[in-house]
Amino acid sequence: MTFPARRPRLPAWTASLTWKAAAFITVMCCALTALLGILVHVSVTRQTVGETRDRALSRLDEAAKALANGDRLGPGASVDPTDLPAELHALAARGRHGTMLGRSGARPVMWAAGPASAAQSGEAPSVGRALAVEVDYEQSARTIDGLDNAILGSSVLAIGATLLFGAFAVTRVTRRLHTTARVARKISAGDLDARVNDPRTKDPQRHQDEVAAVAGALDSMASSLQARILTEQRFTADVAHELRTPLTGLHAAAELLPPGRPTELVRDRVAALRTLTEDLLEISRLDARSERVELDAAWLGPVAERVVRASGTGSGRAEVVVVRDVCVETDRRRLERVLGNLVGNAHRHGAPPVVLTVDGPVITVRDHGEGYPDYLVEHGPQRFRTEGGARGHGLGLTIAFGQAEVLGARLEFTNAADGGALATLTLPYDEPAPA
């Protein structure tokens, strides 16, 4: 059985926009400089070779006239020189003229060759012999090599300067994008006061780029979301306050009813309404961040036992396991509120036995029911949301989560591997130094 080849995985830093922009700028600069360098090299080489060729042909005409007049040939002119390229010699032997770059010893030269004429003018040319002249090409070759080196050096400098400028420009953009992303993460974490405050969005006279448009849209969204949430929080608090007074009177009236089953039902529903109202008031205080902790030293083992006793369940349905008891600085009333809500939720929606375990500053509450729903494990508790026909209003876990934040603790909701819901509360705790 053959398996498909795995694609090589690039390092994480290659995914950044800065790296991609730098790579794109580098590739484009290299391609552009290579194209310009080739064009300049070809143009200068063609011009230099053309000028040298014209000079060689001119000297070949002078040498041919001197040979025809029986005069002495000038320097660099000879008949059938040994360094003459074979192709150019064959061309001259056929009675044609031509030029070619070649070498004369160790020097690069431009050869020009043609048929060698007889000593007397008007006679037939000598068959198979070539009159050739050589023009020094060494200086021109050095000039072209110097030009190539200059093109290469200037290309490297241009690429480096463009890359630095491009990286600086891209870094400014990516820094603004990182700031926008960081603010978005703060907003998603609950900090509705976080804003990007890009200066380009404050001045209507300045033209906005795409990053400023995104930052402005994020700030507008955060402001709108904050206003809507504040309106809902204010509405919840107002409703809870307005319900408190009539519920108090209703509770007093229910106490005056004659004993009986209808009276018990009325009192039970009034008590449920009072509990819901108190929960709404507590959530409104948590939303307003007006809660203040009163720290005191507390041993977690006795606190856990007191919470189980206060839950009103028998020892067969709930138990406390103390692995390691510690004394922490915390608000005892709020801690009991958190644990009480977790234990109550376990009894209401889970299955016995419910186990409350104390292991140092970590307290777990576990039941043996179907476990928490997926949305709660992934996103945390959400008020007024339940699933599967479960009874309740979803405020107990929401209050527990909010009070844990007030205590500076971390509350996590998971499901045990062998079934059942598992809530883990980790309190802030400094291990004492060894004696």
Side-chain angles (χ1 to χ4, degrees):
M1 183 176 180
T2 58
F3 295 93
R6 296 182 61 183
R7 296 177 59 186
R9 191 169 184 179
L10 297 176
W13 57 268
T14 58
S16 65
L17 182 60
T18 303
W19 183 87
K20 293 179 179 179
F24 175 76
I25 292 173
T26 302
V27 171
M28 293 303 297
C29 286
C30 290
L32 183 60
T33 53
L35 178 60
L36 292 177
I38 291 173
L39 291 177
V40 172
H41 173 81
V42 170
S43 176
V44 174
T45 302
R46 182 177 299 173
Q47 181 180 358
T48 304
V49 170
E51 292 176 354
T52 308
R53 179 181 291 113
D54 293 340
R55 193 163 63 250
L57 290 175
S58 176
R59 293 182 59 180
L60 179 63
D61 291 340
E62 296 175 358
K65 292 179 181 179
L67 182 63
N69 295 330
D71 297 334
R72 184 178 178 179
L73 298 178
S78 60
V79 178
D80 293 334
T82 57
D83 292 335
L84 183 65
E87 297 88 347
L88 192 57
H89 189 282
L91 183 67
R94 292 195 300 268
R96 301 178 63 184
H97 294 76
T99 58
M100 179 182 292
L101 284 174
R103 305 192 73 83
S104 176
R107 297 181 302 108
V109 296
M110 172 68 74
W111 288 100
S117 301
Q120 301 295 330
S121 178
E123 295 183 7
S126 301
V127 179
R129 303 191 69 188
L131 174 64
V133 297
E134 59 181 58
V135 177
D136 183 43
Y137 192 73
E138 186 173 4
Q139 182 64 33
S140 299
R142 282 200 298 265
T143 301
I144 294 176
D145 291 340
L147 176 64
D148 292 341
N149 293 332
I151 291 175
L152 181 60
S154 60
S155 299
V156 172
L157 291 177
I159 291 173
T162 306
L163 186 59
L164 290 176
F165 178 77
F168 173 75
V170 172
T171 302
R172 291 189 62 187
V173 176
T174 54
R175 188 183 300 116
R176 293 166 60 198
L177 288 175
H178 285 311
T179 301
T180 304
R182 184 169 61 253
V183 171
R185 285 191 292 268
K186 288 183 178 180
I187 294 174
S188 65
D191 185 7
L192 298 181
D193 293 325
R195 296 293 185 273
V196 180
N197 291 326
D198 194 314
R200 291 170 178 79
T201 61
K202 304 299 182 181
D203 188 3
Q205 303 297 329
R206 299 180 63 178
H207 296 288
Q208 295 186 10
D209 56 6
E210 289 78 3
V211 180
V214 172
L218 179 63
D219 288 348
S220 300
M221 181 200 69
S223 300
S224 176
L225 180 63
Q226 185 180 32
R228 183 172 300 179
I229 291 178
L230 291 177
T231 301
E232 293 178 357
Q233 293 175 355
R234 193 178 301 111
F235 173 76
T236 302
D238 292 343
V239 168
H241 279 290
E242 292 297 329
L243 287 176
R244 203 173 192 180
T245 301
L247 280 176
T248 301
L250 187 60
H251 177 73
E255 294 295 330
L256 300 177
L257 293 176
R261 181 60 181 169
T263 300
E264 293 178 359
L265 292 176
V266 171
R267 290 175 179 175
D268 180 69
R269 293 299 88 195
V270 170
L273 283 174
R274 292 190 66 183
T275 301
L276 176 59
T277 302
E278 294 299 329
D279 288 346
L280 289 175
L281 287 172
E282 187 170 357
I283 285 181
S284 65
R285 290 192 299 269
L286 290 172
D287 290 338
R289 302 184 183 276
S290 60
E291 299 282 21
R292 297 292 180 268
V293 295
E294 297 178 2
L295 296 179
D296 190 12
W299 288 90
L300 298 183
V303 171
E305 294 174 355
R306 187 161 52 251
V307 168
V308 171
R309 286 196 303 268
S311 63
T313 58
S315 59
R317 298 190 60 198
E319 61 177 320
V320 177
V321 177
V322 180
V323 178
R324 181 169 65 97
D325 197 4
V326 295
C327 183
V328 299
E329 290 287 334
T330 186
D331 191 323
R332 187 179 307 175
R333 180 182 63 84
R334 297 183 191 278
L335 178 59
E336 292 180 358
R337 175 67 163 157
V338 173
L339 296 179
N341 282 13
L342 294 177
V343 172
N345 182 82
H347 284 302
R348 189 177 304 109
H349 303 291
V354 176
V355 182
L356 196 154
T357 304
V358 177
D359 187 2
V362 180
I363 305 176
T364 59
V365 178
R366 179 188 174 184
D367 62 56
H368 292 75
E370 297 180 356
Y372 292 121
D374 293 337
Y375 81 89
L376 193 148
V377 174
E378 294 177 4
H379 307 291
Q382 300 178 20
R383 60 192 71 175
F384 299 109
R385 177 174 180 178
T386 56
E387 288 189 356
R391 298 175 58 188
H393 42 66
L395 296 182
L397 294 183
T398 303
I399 292 175
F401 192 83
Q403 293 289 6
E405 287 187 340
V406 174
L407 292 175
R410 185 175 69 254
L411 181 58
E412 298 175 335
F413 300 95
T414 57
N415 290 321
D418 54 349
L422 179 64
T424 304
L425 178 67
T426 305
L427 294 166
Y429 175 69
D430 294 331
E431 292 286 350

